[in-house]
Amino acid sequence: MIVYGLSNSQSLARKISRKANASVGRVITKSFPDGELYLRFLEKPIGKVVLVQSMHPNPNSALIELVFAAKEAKELGAGKVVGVVPYLCYMRQDKSFRPWECVSSHHMASLLNNSLDELITIDPHLHRIHDLKEIFTIQAKAITANSLLADYIAKHFKKEIIIGPDIESYQWAERIASRLKLQAIVLRKKRYAARKVRIKIKSSVELKGKNVLIVDDIISSGHTMLETVKEAKRLGAKSITCVAVHGILAEGALSKLEKEGAKVVTTNTIENPTSKIDVSDLIAGSLK
Ligand code: R5P
């Protein structure tokens, strides 16, 4: 088995290969002057080839890089091509919200169905799509980082209450709370636009003087977390920590959250300064 790290996941790929006792392959990518992708394997990809590529930053070029690398590996003689995609993009556009709108998750899946033999991903955003089988024809495995999040919380925080900011977050908030035997409150969110959400915590919820952990799968623009943080502050929380699997942290989300006094912790499915929780063991385990 050879593990290759594509542009977004090179250090994670090295960790995975160490833990899976596999060799690390080398692949170079760059842009031609017109923006097209150049990609070259520095040794022939043979046997089981694992391509590690998270879909953030630059989801569109990350996706095309993975597709080209997978197809090329096949052409060069790889026996099996496994895509390890720690953060899978486009999963939130899972229906036509307005007439003739593109259901991007289906098209993303079709590109991967046509290029990979197998997909391994972590906590994909499963909402209206309940199972990856609904969009993937290849073997597609979703693993959860919930146990890692719970262990990290247990070790590092004086925890008193877990909040899930919207109904979809129960898969993380409620499950982690039940592992830690903590109280969980899952809120209702109204999203008006990509950067506009409204969240209200009922004043009857007792947060005064408590350490609050807001748990979700993704922090993207950060507005879901920001609105929840403001509400928790309004109700007198003593400390607030936002914990998520995928830290996209677009458009200055991290500094906006820190300005509100919140701490942020995420996994390294997307590598950034908040990624304190390492998922390489989880992935290596599922490759073995
Ligand atoms: C959506 O339901 C997800 O679970 C997250 O709550 C959402 O993607 C976060 O997006 P943003 O950070 O842009 O509010």
Side-chain angles (χ1 to χ4, degrees), residues 175-187:
R175 290 184 188 157
I176 289 172
S178 96
R179 264 174 181 268
L180 297 172
K181 304 206 175 5
L182 290 174
Q183 185 193 353
I185 301 166
V186 174
L187 306 175

Side-chain angles (χ1 to χ4, degrees), residues 121-268:
T121 186
I122 298 191
D123 289 302
H125 187 83
L126 295 174
H127 182 205
R128 280 161 286 254
I129 296 167
H130 299 103
D131 192 309
L132 290 179
K133 285 198 188 85
E134 291 169 35
I135 53 171
F136 286 100
T137 50
I138 53 171
Q139 194 185 332
K141 200 192 295 176
I143 45 185
T144 179
N146 268 349
S147 60
L148 300 180
L149 264 52
D151 290 349
Y152 190 91
I153 290 170
K155 195 163 161 205
H156 292 88
F157 296 101
K158 260 192 140 194
K159 64 275 171 192
E160 283 167 1
I161 190 160
I162 288 193
I163 294 182
D166 57 24
I167 197 72
E168 290 128 89
S169 68
Y170 81 91
Q171 305 166 64
W172 297 274
E174 268 185 10
R175 290 184 188 157
I176 289 172
S178 96
R179 264 174 181 268
L180 297 172
K181 304 206 175 5
L182 290 174
Q183 185 193 353
I185 301 166
V186 174
L187 306 175
R188 299 288 175 274
K189 169 172 90 181
K190 185 133 182 63
R191 185 177 285 282
Y192 299 93
R195 297 172 186 81
K196 191 163 185 232
V197 298
R198 180 159 304 149
I199 287 169
K200 198 108 192 94
I201 308 182
K202 286 189 195 130
S203 300
S204 53
V205 173
E206 192 49 69
L207 294 187
K208 206 169 171 48
K210 290 194 176 169
N211 298 307
V212 171
L213 292 150
I214 309 172
V215 177
D216 205 355
D217 58 338
I218 302 171
I219 307 176
S220 184
S221 71
H223 287 280
T224 300
M225 284 292 187
L226 266 175
E227 292 308 304
T228 317
V229 166
K230 286 180 191 162
E231 281 291 281
K233 272 171 72 175
R234 179 178 68 83
L235 295 177
K238 181 164 116 197
S239 78
I240 304 169
T241 308
C242 304
V243 182
V245 182
H246 310 294
I248 294 177
L249 302 169
E251 301 178 343
L254 178 58
S255 57
K256 288 178 199 159
L257 285 163
E258 286 177 341
K259 221 163 138 193
E260 285 297 329
K263 289 198 196 90
V264 180
V265 177
T266 64
T267 76
N268 58 350

